[in-house]
Every structure is written in structure tokens, then in C-alpha cells.
């Protein structure tokens, strides 16, 4: 079956702009989580959605937001981009708690 | 949140077993232990997970200490393709009182860079 698909794979934005990243989970997976990966901070949890509801949120400023649609596809948005937002953004989907997570290839965001 | 501690790096020879340790002394009784590995420019790949009992799958084995404060990922015969960053993660459990549903988030440590020598 198809894996987790993230689009776009690469993105270059200017400081102050906003960006929207997309994630299509594996069919049947209702849980979608987002992570930020940087060399200095490693993998950090952003938020998790389950059945269109945000179930958990990490320690990120309000500029980072997300949503999940009825078909489980998810988007995350970062407004007023800063240089420090440059990172690999990863999406993972799961059936639910206590199950394995499947990660996408990630979106590499560069803010200049 | 509970955290994990792993050695920064480990080395192994091809076809030898590898034991990757992880400490999670602040784990709660309902937190799952997951292991993922990541190759450069790729997303993490699931390896194995468990709650209390030791687990085996086609990729590896997971040995969980009786007090659950530590665990060990065992690769029975390392290959060059096993060279990666290995993350021991905890799936933290929170029960939503309203609606009775539960959810969990994965917390990642810094990982162990595994080098496999031919």
C-alpha cells in the first residue's frame, strides 16, 4: 500500500512569509503527527491530530498551526517565517495509540 | 515528559550482533517504548515497539528491563544496510477525560549513530 506522502519535498521561503505543508497518511490511519528536525534540536514533536481534532501540542509558538481533514489528510502552517524555522518537517501516521508510526520523506524548508 | 538517553555512537562489524541500549528511568507505566532508525535525507523507519514484554520481529528484538527503566534493541546480525541513526522513543500516554479516548505522542532523544564495518 502507498506510504505517507508529504508535499512539497523542498521549499525555499523568505523571512516573514507563510508556508503550508501537506501530508497524506496511509489509508485507514486516523492519527497524524508532525515533527520538526534540526541538527541542533533533533526531532521535536509539533502536534498530533486524530479524527480532525488536535490531541496534543508540543512547545512551539502559535505561528505553528495545523489541521486535519475528514479524509485524514493534514496540513501544517507556519506564519511569519523566521530563519530558525529552516528544518526538515516530518509527518507520521498511525492507526492509533500503541501502534507503529509510518513517516513520510519530509519537507525540507529553507528560510532565507 | 519522560526522556530517553542513548550513547551518541556505537560501532559493529558486519554479521555480528549489536546491542543498542536506552535508558528511560522516568517512564510511566502506560508509556510504550518504540525504536526507529533514520538514514540521511529520509524519514525515520519503524523498527520495533513494546510495552512490558520482550518483543521479536523480522528486523530485531526488543529486550525490556523488568522495571522498564531501560531497554535494549538487538540486531541479531548486523549488515551494512543497518548503519543508521537509531532512536529510542517513548509514546507518552494521556487519557482524555472527556470522551474517554486516549492518545500518545512520540518523544525522541538524540539517537545513536550506528556504524557497521565490513
Amino acid at each position: 500500500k502507498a506510504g505517507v506522502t508529504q508535499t512539497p519535498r523542498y521549499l525555499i521561503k523568505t523571512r516573514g512569509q507563510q508556508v503550508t505543508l501537506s501530508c497524506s497518511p496511509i489509508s485507514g490511519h486516523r492519527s497524524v503527527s508532525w515533527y520538526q528536525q534540526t541538527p541542533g534540536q533533533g526531532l521535536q514533536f509539533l502536534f498530533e491530530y486524530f479524527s480532525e481534532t488536535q490531541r496534543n501540542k508540543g512547545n512551539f509558538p502559535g505561528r505553528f498551526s495545523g489541521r486535519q481533514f475528514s479524509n485524514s489528510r493534514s496540513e501544517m502552517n507556519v506564519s511569519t517565517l523566521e530563519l530558525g524555522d529552516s528544518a526538515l518537517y516530518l509527518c507520521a501516521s498511525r492507526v492509533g495509540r500503541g501502534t507503529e508510526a509510518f513517516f513520510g520523506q519530509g519537507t525540507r524548508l529553507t528560510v532565507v | 515528559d519522560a526522556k530517553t538517553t542513548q550513547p551518541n555512537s556505537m560501532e559493529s562489524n558486519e554479521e555480528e550482533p549489536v546491542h543498542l541500549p536506552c535508558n528511560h528511568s522516568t517512564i510511566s507505566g502506560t508509556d510504550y517504548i518504540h525504536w526507529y532508525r533514520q538514514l540521511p535525507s529520509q524519514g525515520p523507519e519503524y523498527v520495533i515497539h513494546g510495552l512490558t514484554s520482550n518483543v521479536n520481529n523480522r528486523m530485531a528484538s526488543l529486550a525490556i528491563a523488568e522495571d522498564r527503566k531501560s531497554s535494549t534493541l538487538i540486531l541479531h546480525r548486523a549488515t551494512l544496510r543497518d548503519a543508521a541513526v537509531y532512536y529510542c522513543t517513548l509514546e507518552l500516554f494521556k487519557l482524555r477525560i472527556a470522551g474517554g479516548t486516549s492518545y500518545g505522542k512520540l518523544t525522541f532523544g538524540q539517537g545513536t549513530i550506528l556504524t557497521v564495518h565490513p
Side-chain angles (χ1 to χ4, degrees):
Chain A
K1 56 184 175 181
V4 177
T5 303
Q6 292 188 245
T7 56
R9 289 292 311 279
Y10 302 93
L11 208 48
I12 300 175
K13 289 287 189 178
T14 305
R15 272 183 302 173
Q17 287 185 314
Q18 74 164 13
V19 67
T20 299
L21 311 181
S22 179
C23 172
S24 293
I26 291 173
S27 178
H29 287 193
R30 296 163 65 189
S31 167
V32 174
S33 300
W34 288 89
Y35 296 83
Q36 181 196 66
Q37 187 172 30
T38 60
Q41 299 297 319
L43 272 155
Q44 293 188 287
F45 172 80
L46 280 158
F47 25 68
E48 178 181 16
Y49 288 86
F50 188 89
S51 295
E52 302 179 65
T53 302
Q54 186 180 89
R55 298 300 180 98
N56 208 341
K57 191 176 190 304
N59 295 323
F60 280 82
R63 301 185 296 106
F64 291 82
S65 63
R67 59 178 175 169
Q68 186 179 34
F69 302 95
S70 59
N71 61 359
S72 293
R73 190 177 71 84
S74 177
E75 289 180 347
M76 69 163 281
N77 183 278
V78 187
S79 62
T80 319
L81 284 166
E82 301 177 359
L83 295 179
D85 297 332
S86 295
L88 180 66
Y89 290 88
L90 292 158
C91 163
S93 76
R94 293 190 291 164
V95 171
R97 177 178 176 260
T99 62
E100 62 193 270
F102 294 84
F103 283 83
Q105 296 274 59
T107 294
R108 173 74 62 183
L109 172 65
T110 302
V111 182
V112 296
Chain B
D1 289 347
K3 296 189 186 301
T4 63
T5 303
Q6 300 175 250
N8 290 332
S9 63
M10 291 187 66
E11 297 186 19
S12 174
N13 294 317
E14 208 173 3
E15 299 192 5
E16 289 185 354
V18 181
H19 290 233
L20 297 167
C22 179
N23 180 280
H24 29 77
S25 58
T26 57
I27 192 172
S28 296
T30 52
D31 296 340
Y32 280 86
I33 302 160
H34 290 242
W35 283 81
Y36 294 83
R37 67 184 186 184
Q38 187 176 26
L39 294 171
S41 302
Q42 293 189 21
E45 174 191 28
Y46 169 80
V47 178
I48 201 166
H49 79 288
L51 185 60
T52 56
S53 303
N54 295 342
V55 184
N56 299 297
N57 66 21
R58 62 177 180 81
M59 288 182 70
S61 295
L62 175 60
I64 301 174
E66 198 169 329
D67 62 7
R68 300 206 333 122
K69 293 183 184 301
S70 66
S71 62
T72 302
L73 175 70
I74 303 165
L75 305 179
H76 295 286
R77 291 184 63 190
T79 70
L80 296 178
R81 292 190 303 173
D82 291 324
V85 180
Y86 285 78
Y87 293 99
C88 168
T89 77
L90 298 180
E91 181 185 349
L92 306 184
F93 169 70
K94 281 189 179 182
L95 177 66
R96 285 168 59 90
I97 296 175
T101 54
S102 65
Y103 60 92
K105 72 176 186 181
L106 294 175
T107 62
F108 285 79
Q110 290 303 309
T112 296
I113 300 171
L114 175 65
T115 301
V116 180
H117 299 290

